[in-house]
Amino acid sequence: MEKLKFILSGGGTGGHIYPAVAIANELKSRFPDAEFLFVGAKDKMEMQKVPQAGYKIEGLWIAGLQRKLTLQNAMFPFKLIDSLWKSRKIIKKFKPNVVIGTGGFASGPLLQMANMLNIPTVIQEQNSYPGITNKLLSKKANKICVAYENLERFFPKDKMILTGNPVRQDLIDIESKRAEAIQFFNLDANKKTLLVLGGSLGARRVNQLIEKELDNFLSQDIQVIWQCGKLYFEDYKKYNSNNVQVLAFIDRMDLVYSAADIVISRAGASSVSELCIVGKPVIFIPSPNVAEDHQTKNAKSIVDKKGAIMIREAELDSQFSLIFEALLKDQGKQDQLSKNIKHLALPNATKQIVDEIVKLIK
């Protein structure tokens, strides 16, 4: 049998890059001799993250359309034509068996060209509300692996498979790691631990909220692990103390989830999928600044099934303290949220997605 070849594209944010790397790792474990090539957008974080994960990557000259009239928008047609031409060249040279897209600017022209060249394509849609690129690509894609139900209005029903989003496998059993987590983060086992997650770059509004509420948390004998993001670390590191740990980034997500009693988080697709598996009480504060308000829709899909609490940014000043204190004092409510969100977990997503890819190998 000839050596199998796969091209993967996902980038712009960790939420697109991580699923692509997870899928590649699972394919590699099944086909150790296979060849892999990633395609990303030049100047985006995938150009660093993918080589760190051990894979080759090529960059396209592509960016998204801005919402206002800019020079970048005027350049968009040229970038698109250049990216389609380069994608064609990459595919012709590499000769992949299957092309897989997990979202991000580069996956658009790459999958479009793969479809035109009759190479099987798979879309992995992380969000509960797909972006315009995946909606357009879905017409020609062979399979669309989704993480949420009821996406028939966006995608052809016969191509969709509900798989969930790829998540770190070390999150599957965090219960057994609690003692290790308490020691690792030097926590007091008798105090409640609040975990705040703002994404790898950070979330300005979430950080402002935590800064304002910090004294309130401490007065209720809570210890805080506050991942403020690398953009904001210099502003907030001054709050480090015995009961507050301010971190730019967290490497051991399995341990931090294990230690947490309550989580405050943005509602990016990957975070939501991880939190379902982890099964802790969550307050989602969706970012209103993402395309098509994805995060609010992601959070709402969990809240509608009574698996989490959501507070919009505009309501934080009036609502947060009341909602947080009510949750903190109500262990029954915490337990119920944990139980309900865990029911929504899809822990075998990566294996299922790869099962679908394998069916398409020519």
Side-chain angles (χ1 to χ4, degrees):
M1 187 181 173
E2 276 188 34
K3 192 182 276 191
L4 293 173
K5 295 181 175 186
F6 301 98
I7 295 182
L8 299 99
S9 180
T13 68
H16 293 313
I17 299 165
Y18 178 76
V21 171
I23 291 165
N25 289 344
E26 176 65 21
L27 280 164
K28 199 174 183 179
S29 74
R30 296 196 200 185
F31 307 106
D33 297 333
E35 279 186 51
F36 296 87
L37 178 65
F38 278 69
V39 174
K42 283 179 181 173
D43 308 325
K44 291 291 180 184
M45 67 195 279
E46 58 265 30
M47 302 308 289
Q48 280 81 46
K49 295 285 182 193
V50 168
Q52 282 169 11
Y55 294 101
K56 282 188 290 193
I57 187 165
E58 294 210 28
L60 302 181
W61 185 48
I62 189 77
L65 280 165
Q66 307 299 306
R67 291 184 187 192
K68 49 190 183 293
L69 206 59
T70 62
L71 179 62
Q72 240 189 330
N73 276 0
M75 294 296 289
F76 181 76
F78 303 102
K79 289 184 175 185
L80 184 60
I81 290 162
D82 183 81
S83 295
L84 284 164
W85 178 80
K86 190 166 181 195
S87 294
R88 181 185 172 87
K89 221 168 123 181
I90 289 168
I91 291 167
K92 287 276 200 185
K93 187 179 170 194
F94 192 76
K95 298 185 175 65
N97 296 86
V98 185
V99 174
I100 302 126
T102 62
F105 302 136
S107 65
L110 181 80
L111 268 75
Q112 177 67 17
M113 194 47 74
N115 288 334
M116 287 168 76
L117 294 168
N118 293 316
I119 309 281
T121 59
V122 175
I123 292 170
Q124 196 266 317
E125 173 56 65
Q126 292 113 39
N127 287 292
S128 57
Y129 193 93
I132 190 160
T133 308
N134 277 355
K135 281 189 249 180
L136 292 171
L137 292 170
S138 69
K139 294 174 177 61
K140 294 274 180 69
N142 296 71
K143 305 265 182 175
I144 305 154
C145 296
V146 297
Y148 294 92
E149 294 168 340
N150 307 318
L151 296 190
E152 293 82 3
R153 65 191 192 279
F154 305 115
F155 296 140
K157 192 175 180 179
D158 57 327
K159 295 180 181 181
M160 277 197 309
I161 303 102
L162 180 68
T163 57
N165 285 323
V167 294
R168 298 164 234 254
Q169 291 305 292
D170 60 2
L171 301 183
I172 304 294
D173 174 32
I174 59 162
E175 297 305 314
S176 63
K177 300 180 182 177
R178 188 154 171 95
E180 185 189 349
I182 298 285
Q183 192 177 358
F184 185 87
F185 289 101
N186 199 20
L187 297 166
D188 182 337
N190 300 312
K191 288 184 178 180
K192 286 267 188 193
T193 301
L194 170 66
L195 169 62
V196 182
L197 299 172
S200 52
L201 297 176
R204 177 185 284 126
R205 189 64 189 87
V206 174
N207 287 335
Q208 289 169 344
L209 171 79
I210 301 307
E211 181 178 41
K212 178 173 156 259
E213 295 287 339
L214 215 45
D215 288 343
N216 188 20
F217 295 148
L218 297 177
S219 72
Q220 296 178 79
D221 213 22
I222 296 168
Q223 51 201 350
V224 182
I225 299 177
W226 176 6
Q227 186 257 315
C228 66
K230 63 179 182 182
L231 294 181
Y232 301 98
F233 182 68
E234 291 304 315
D235 299 337
Y236 294 106
K237 65 181 182 184
K238 62 187 175 194
Y239 293 110
N240 265 311
S241 68
N242 285 344
N243 289 312
V244 181
Q245 295 179 49
V246 183
L247 304 167
F249 191 77
I250 299 170
D251 286 317
R252 290 298 305 269
M253 289 305 295
D254 57 332
L255 294 185
V256 85
Y257 281 135
S258 180
D261 294 293
I262 294 175
V263 181
I264 294 171
S265 177
R266 282 302 203 198
S270 294
S271 299
V272 173
S273 296
E274 287 187 358
L275 288 161
C276 288
I277 283 169
V278 165
K280 297 288 170 105
V282 185
I283 297 174
F284 285 120
I285 303 173
S287 169
N289 312 315
V290 292
E292 304 184 59
D293 205 15
H294 276 150
Q295 290 205 2
T296 301
K297 288 160 184 150
N298 292 345
K300 195 172 180 305
S301 68
I302 306 297
V303 173
D304 287 349
K305 293 180 176 169
K306 298 184 168 50
I309 293 166
M310 175 172 77
I311 310 176
R312 294 172 193 270
E313 279 198 0
E315 299 166 346
L316 284 174
D317 289 336
S318 60
Q319 300 287 312
F320 179 81
S321 295
L322 296 168
I323 289 171
F324 181 79
E325 279 183 40
L327 178 62
L328 185 68
K329 289 173 181 160
D330 189 343
Q331 189 59 50
K333 172 86 168 167
Q334 292 175 37
D335 294 343
Q336 196 60 52
L337 288 174
S338 289
K339 194 172 146 194
N340 292 350
I341 198 170
K342 227 169 164 47
H343 279 318
L344 305 175
L346 296 164
N348 299 314
T350 315
K351 289 184 172 62
Q352 269 186 278
I353 292 163
V354 170
D355 288 345
E356 296 301 328
I357 294 167
V358 169
K359 291 175 192 172
L360 296 176
I361 292 171
K362 285 184 174 176

